[in-house]
Amino acid sequence: MHVYLVCDTEIEQTTKPDLQDLADISWLTFNEPSTNNFTLTGTDVVGDVTTIYTGNIEFNSDKVLKYVYDELEMKTSDETQNRIDRYEWSLTYTPGTGTESNGGNGGNIPGFQLYVVIAAIAIGFILIIRKKNLSNIKIN
């Protein structure tokens, strides 16, 4: 299963098809309650073991991952064997904390200084070119 933080074509090409493929399992049901918001739910009973799955993935209107909820509950007739695995993630944003707060020095958007990004890209290109040159020398 692939879930991207910021999506464009990945929602339609990867996330949604992966969820639909999982729904091919007979006891899971895929649903898209609204555009780019997906659910995968189901209950499976085998003998005295009941497995309940609930999954929700939501993207906002900008196709940025907004919310993920993933829960797997396993119950048996012996209550001491019950187990719940749960994962929940949500994007938080406080209105008014855009790029111009804190005196216009970049605001509260986390990340790296521009010169660090440029240096990292430059080092990456140097390593790629060097590797390409070394492989050309070995071939010749």
Side-chain angles (χ1 to χ4, degrees):
M1 178 65 215
H2 297 86
V3 177
Y4 297 89
L5 292 176
V6 179
C7 297
D8 188 17
T9 58
E10 290 86 358
I11 291 174
E12 288 297 321
Q13 292 179 357
T14 308
T15 304
K16 186 176 178 179
D18 282 355
L19 288 168
Q20 289 170 326
D21 288 346
L22 288 171
D24 287 344
I25 298 171
S26 63
W27 60 275
L28 290 173
T29 303
F30 170 79
N31 194 7
E32 187 174 2
S34 61
T35 304
N36 298 329
N37 294 306
F38 310 108
T39 64
L40 190 64
T41 58
T43 301
D44 185 37
V45 179
V46 177
D48 69 339
V49 178
T50 301
T51 303
I52 302 168
Y53 179 76
T54 305
N56 298 311
I57 300 173
E58 296 179 20
F59 294 90
N60 68 18
S61 60
D62 293 328
K63 296 184 180 179
V64 175
L65 183 61
K66 177 181 171 184
Y67 179 76
V68 174
Y69 181 85
D70 181 63
E71 179 178 280
L72 181 66
E73 182 177 358
M74 296 183 79
K75 298 179 182 180
T76 63
S77 57
D78 178 7
E79 291 184 26
T80 60
Q81 298 294 322
N82 291 350
R83 183 175 136 200
I84 298 175
D85 295 320
R86 181 178 296 141
Y87 172 80
E88 189 169 355
W89 179 89
S90 21
L91 175 67
T92 57
Y93 170 73
T94 305
T97 58
T99 58
E100 293 304 315
S101 62
N102 289 337
N105 65 355
N108 294 327
I109 297 175
F112 298 97
Q113 298 288 338
L114 181 59
Y115 67 87
V116 174
V117 173
I118 292 171
I121 291 171
I123 291 170
F125 279 127
I126 290 169
L127 292 174
I128 290 169
I129 291 169
R130 187 173 186 202
K131 185 175 181 179
K132 184 177 179 184
N133 287 340
L134 287 174
S135 65
N136 284 341
I137 290 171
K138 290 179 184 178
I139 293 173
N140 297 331

